[in-house]
Amino acid sequence: MSTQPLSESVLKTPILVTGGAGYIGSNTCHALAQAGFRPVIVDDLSKGHARFAAPFELHVLDITDEPKLSELMLHLQPAAVIHFAAFTEVSGSMRAPVDYYRVNVQGTVSLLRAMLAAKVKKLVFSSSAATYGTPIHVPIREDHPTVPINPYGRTKLMMEQMMADCRAAYDLDWIALRYFNAAGANPALDCGEWHEPETHLIPNILRAARGDIPALELYGTTHPTPDGTAVRDYIHVSDLADAHVRALRLVLEGGVGESLNLGVGQGFSVRQVIDAASRVLGRPVPLVEKPERPGDPPSLVADATRAMQRLGWSPKYTTIDSIIDSAWQWYQRQGFAPSQD
Ligand SMILES: NC(=O)c1ccc[n+]([C@@H]2O[C@H](COP(=O)([O-])OP(=O)(O)OC[C@H]3O[C@@H](n4cnc5c(N)ncnc54)[C@H](O)[C@@H]3O)[C@@H](O)[C@H]2O)c1
């Protein structure tokens, strides 16, 4: 990555952040502000939280509303867009695929049309390990076949394909960051992982450990993994946020169109994460075992070498204990009142 300082005019120009009131988007807005950028959020607050976006300019807007999005884009003339807004649950996408295609695919079509109308041709985008499907081997490199096994993963792959086509046709500069499992929190910030319903493992472990839910529901104990539970690569949200700032700098320099994995490169089974949490929290995690959720691959572990080379990035949180500890510190400050926006 180039270390050329960015000009004052680029730093003052807004960076439009869709989904910036959500978990990863809000953490990234803080990292952008810290790096001297001016994030401006577009979020319909369907899943995000106004208080996460509070320090920044927020436009409450559905990205599928192309006329309004286009009007805002023309008005703001951002230097680039970072696109987080999406429906994000694998299991939700199995139950309601049309909603996922509408928000993720149609929403990205609206966004691209609004960007092109305003001549904004720089995009960093949240993709996912779900684009790979059930891997043939782990760790997974970017050149691994992409055969998603659920509608969510298919929407993310389609979004990447749209961007590649837009590079060929309109010279769009883009980077898709394929995150593995985002986790953890920056305890100094108000924003953290808070989804309703929550389907992610670590926040549900914390809820069960604190007694906010009766027990953790552990889905799938017969996967072809050493202990039968699904193996995932957990990457800290602050490390993701840092990677976005670096990817933004690269797209601003221009000449890019590529997908990069973001993960630590270590896999932990659900049982290993529960054991680590019991150790870090110093208390047991009540759990009930449930059948496997459809659309869940047994093991997803990243080879993030390419992101390290291209972005000059490396994760700072490299142990599962430190990731869980940061999430716990943040969670302990939260009351259990999802409507507390
Ligand atoms: N959390 C993970 O482990 C993970 C892993 C891989 C990829 N991702 C991707 O990262 C991105 C952010 O994930 P997150 O965990 O922060 O999710 P999140 O639900 O916390 O954030 C998504 C945000 O998008 C907003 N949004 C949804 N639909 C919208 C619409 N139509 N118009 C405007 N805003 C809308 C929501 O209100 C929310 O604030 C998503 O694109 C997700 O697919 C997440």
Side-chain angles (χ1 to χ4, degrees), residues 22-24 43-44 47-48 62-63 84 127 152 156 179 182 195:
Y23 169 44
I24 307 167
D43 197 301
D44 68 354
K47 310 275 178 186
D62 183 335
I63 54 163
F84 294 98
S127 189
Y152 168 69
K156 290 287 172 180
Y179 329 147
H195 300 110

Side-chain angles (χ1 to χ4, degrees), residues 16-27:
L16 192 96
V17 182
T18 75
Y23 169 44
I24 307 167
S26 55
N27 275 274

Side-chain angles (χ1 to χ4, degrees), residues 3 29 31 82 109 140 142 146 166 193 214 216 266 277 301 313 326:
T3 48
C29 285
I82 307 184
V109 171
I140 304 168
E142 289 82 353
T146 44
C166 288
E193 188 164 19
L216 171 76
Q266 291 171 40
V301 181
W313 168 89
S326 71

Side-chain angles (χ1 to χ4, degrees), residues 33-224:
Q34 186 85 39
F37 290 101
R38 189 188 140 205
V40 174
I41 296 174
V42 166
D43 197 301
D44 68 354
L45 301 181
S46 56
K47 310 275 178 186
H49 309 272
R51 73 184 172 102
F52 288 5
F56 309 105
E57 183 178 328
L58 166 67
H59 297 264
V60 180
L61 185 62
D62 183 335
I63 54 163
T64 62
D65 185 344
E66 190 187 317
K68 287 216 178 98
L69 189 61
S70 211
E71 195 183 312
L72 180 68
M73 194 79 70
L74 284 164
H75 167 72
L76 286 173
Q77 287 291 324
V81 174
I82 307 184
H83 181 32
F84 294 98
F87 282 2
T88 67
E89 269 178 71
V90 167
S91 50
S93 79
M94 304 288 287
R95 285 192 304 274
V98 173
D99 294 346
Y100 277 67
Y101 286 105
R102 186 186 72 79
V103 172
N104 296 7
V105 178
Q106 198 177 318
T108 301
V109 171
S110 300
L111 177 69
L112 287 167
R113 284 174 56 86
M115 287 174 65
L116 292 169
K119 300 195 170 29
V120 177
K121 294 191 181 178
K122 312 272 182 192
L123 181 62
V124 177
F125 156 66
S126 302
S127 189
S128 167
T131 52
Y132 294 113
T134 301
I136 302 163
H137 54 79
V138 290
I140 304 168
R141 274 196 339 214
E142 289 82 353
D143 57 3
H144 185 285
T146 44
V147 190
I149 57 166
N150 52 59
Y152 168 69
R154 282 190 275 279
T155 66
K156 290 287 172 180
L157 188 59
M158 282 179 202
M159 292 153 87
E160 288 195 19
Q161 287 163 340
M162 277 194 262
M163 277 153 217
D165 289 340
C166 288
R167 172 141 195 84
Y170 316 112
D171 221 12
L172 178 81
D173 287 307
W174 64 278
I175 293 181
L177 297 172
R178 292 178 179 162
Y179 329 147
F180 282 62
N181 278 52
N186 178 343
L189 299 181
D190 195 26
C191 50
E193 188 164 19
W194 197 295
H195 300 110
E196 289 303 336
E198 186 55 82
T199 57
H200 293 103
L201 178 63
I202 293 175
N204 278 326
I205 288 178
L206 305 185
R207 288 177 184 201
R210 202 174 73 172
D212 295 332
I213 55 173
L216 171 76
E217 296 185 338
L218 191 172
Y219 291 96
T221 53
T222 55
H223 284 288

